[in-house]
Amino acid sequence: MLYNGVDFDTYFKNYPDANGYFGKYGGCYIEPELKNAMEEITEAYFTICKSAKFINELRRIRRDFQGRPTPISHLERLSNKLGNVQLYVKREDLNHTGAHKLNHCMGEALLAKYMGKKKIIAETGAGQHGVALATAAAYFGLECDIYMGSVDIKKQAPNVARMKILGANVVEVTEGLATLKEAVDAAFKAYSQEYKDCIYCIGSVLGPHPFPMMVRDFQSVVGIEAREQFTQMTGELPDAIVACVGGGSNAAGFFSGFLNDPVDIYGVEPLGKGPKLGDHAASLMYGTEGIMHGFNSIMLKDENGEPAPVYSVASGLDYPSSGPEHAFLHDLGRVKYGVADDEEAIDAFFTLSRLEGIIPAIESSHAVAYGIKLAKEMGRGSILINLSGRGDKDMDYVIEKYGIR
Ligand SMILES: *Cc1c(COP(=O)(O)O)cnc(C)c1O
């Protein structure tokens, strides 16, 4: 399928290019000593991860450990309530650890093992990536250092406990505001000293090449399964698919299965409290081109051109940029990016819980909220939503802040 000059029949061969670019976005903007480390990972990716041995081992792990394939559920009661559009969800909440993140963490950790690395390191904000990576480290018997700001350590006590129980070493970062940005800096600094023995595992389709490509490819299992399952269930493709976009990993993997199909694709960013800078994290909607954390993309900047403070009720979505592939697909128009705000997400959180018996993550609730809006607009047809994770982690917060609706 040709779309605005891009041939989607050969898309995955050509994007990203050899230097990690999706059009003008992506690349590898990183200090010289880490360039070698990135090249080593890129080369290992193309040799090891494309070998039958690696692929078969990862397939076995996905089936026997992660519990894949995750099902698709038809949201019958919600669909009936909305009218003639049929809504479906791909159940990444049923993936082991309760979200999609383990899909790329198991891939990254398996690669680390094949490369003979002893340790994996990463940063975490809300702790979701840290927990998924600590799980993978335990499974493969790798050491695991997770850098986390002291402010986040206090806020995310249950996830800190999980990481420690799983045997990870949680490294407290006290510099600056002591949140995600400082944790990223500290983790990269440690990595540049230790890269011979360890690999850095990025938590989304972000960072320098090859990570946006690698994380997308490890997440593509979601899109591949979803396309096959949906056509088996209904005999056709969905008319539209929807996923929430923080860094963009669940969306990138899910979308990859449908880019070459006549399917409308929607990415949903968090509008938070509203369109004022600082009140949201809708980077593709309100951002401009720029470089941060090792890659070129569209991002929200403050008056000095630094990453702007961002906010969303969903801690997994509050990042001031999105992966370079999303910036590319946005410019191209192949994927349409919309928003859902805090209120809409919380409404959808209760709607899905009440009508379907599925408590979604607040991140995923943004996609559900958008799917409901879209259903009202479309009037007929089918929509498949990627339910990126379960909402158990959010229950206390929702009850405390919003009460029972
Ligand atoms: C982390 C997280 C997200 C956001 O990350 P992406 O890379 O944009 O997918 C979405 N949903 C859940 C449940 C998460 O834990």
Side-chain angles (χ1 to χ4, degrees), residues 152-221:
D152 289 330
I153 287 182
K154 280 203 196 74
K155 271 213 262 196
Q156 309 290 344
N159 277 341
V160 175
R162 278 186 197 103
M163 285 183 262
K164 289 185 175 165
I165 289 170
L166 290 160
N169 178 25
V170 179
V171 185
E172 180 167 357
V173 179
T174 54
E175 281 88 17
L177 298 174
T179 60
L180 181 63
K181 185 185 170 297
E182 291 78 18
V184 174
D185 294 342
F188 261 101
K189 197 164 148 212
Y191 181 53
S192 60
Q193 284 152 12
E194 299 182 74
Y195 72 88
K196 290 213 166 59
D197 299 318
C198 69
I199 81 172
Y200 197 100
C201 294
I202 287 179
S204 189
V205 284
L206 303 167
H209 179 63
F211 285 103
M213 167 186 74
M214 220 165 76
V215 172
R216 172 198 69 190
D217 292 354
F218 287 140
Q219 285 294 345
S220 69
V221 66

Side-chain angles (χ1 to χ4, degrees), residues 116-353:
K117 304 288 187 187
K118 303 270 175 304
K119 191 199 273 187
I120 48 184
I121 79 180
E123 81 296 334
T124 195
Q128 296 299 107
H129 176 52
V131 170
L133 200 62
T135 303
Y139 181 90
F140 291 110
L142 296 163
E143 288 173 50
C144 181
D145 286 354
I146 303 290
Y147 290 79
M148 195 169 183
S150 31
V151 171
D152 289 330
I153 287 182
K154 280 203 196 74
K155 271 213 262 196
Q156 309 290 344
N159 277 341
V160 175
R162 278 186 197 103
M163 285 183 262
K164 289 185 175 165
I165 289 170
L166 290 160
N169 178 25
V170 179
V171 185
E172 180 167 357
V173 179
T174 54
E175 281 88 17
L177 298 174
T179 60
L180 181 63
K181 185 185 170 297
E182 291 78 18
V184 174
D185 294 342
F188 261 101
K189 197 164 148 212
Y191 181 53
S192 60
Q193 284 152 12
E194 299 182 74
Y195 72 88
K196 290 213 166 59
D197 299 318
C198 69
I199 81 172
Y200 197 100
C201 294
I202 287 179
S204 189
V205 284
L206 303 167
H209 179 63
F211 285 103
M213 167 186 74
M214 220 165 76
V215 172
R216 172 198 69 190
D217 292 354
F218 287 140
Q219 285 294 345
S220 69
V221 66
V222 179
I224 292 167
E225 283 177 12
R227 189 178 190 283
E228 191 180 313
Q229 291 166 319
F230 193 90
T231 44
Q232 265 188 8
M233 268 175 105
T234 69
E236 47 194 39
L237 287 165
D239 292 299
I241 64 169
V242 182
C244 65
V245 179
S249 65
N250 87 89
F254 183 55
F255 294 170
S256 72
F258 299 90
L259 285 174
N260 197 27
D261 289 319
V263 171
D264 293 330
I265 305 181
Y266 298 90
V268 186
E269 297 192 296
L271 189 59
K273 291 183 271 208
K276 206 169 105 235
L277 188 68
D279 283 352
H280 64 83
S283 38
L284 295 167
M285 177 81 88
Y286 296 106
T288 49
E289 191 179 341
I291 294 168
M292 65 179 245
H293 297 163
F295 64 106
N296 182 43
S297 188
I298 299 177
M299 55 196 59
L300 295 165
K301 297 177 216 155
D302 65 15
E303 62 276 13
N304 303 318
E306 293 294 313
V310 285
Y311 161 82
S312 164
V313 65
S315 52
L317 299 181
D318 63 354
Y319 185 71
S321 181
S322 291
E325 186 170 17
H326 287 292
F328 175 65
L329 294 169
H330 172 265
D331 281 9
L332 199 63
R334 176 64 191 96
V335 177
K336 293 174 189 69
Y337 292 85
V339 291
D341 65 19
D342 283 4
E343 278 299 313
E344 291 170 318
I346 296 298
D347 266 349
F349 175 91
F350 281 106
T351 300
L352 201 69
S353 301

Side-chain angles (χ1 to χ4, degrees), residues 2-59:
L2 204 61
Y3 195 96
N4 278 344
V6 170
D7 186 357
F8 278 92
D9 289 338
T10 52
Y11 178 77
F12 294 103
K13 272 205 177 78
N14 297 326
Y15 296 93
D17 69 14
N19 296 316
Y21 283 92
F22 300 85
K24 61 181 170 172
Y25 303 112
C28 184
Y29 299 84
I30 196 166
E31 52 197 288
E33 58 267 40
L34 282 181
K35 272 243 152 91
N36 290 337
M38 291 302 136
E39 273 159 26
E40 187 197 347
I41 297 175
T42 307
E43 182 165 330
Y45 179 70
F46 281 116
T47 51
I48 296 169
C49 297
K50 303 292 178 187
S51 74
K53 188 158 182 270
F54 183 95
I55 291 167
N56 283 322
E57 190 166 348
L58 191 57
R59 280 196 184 141

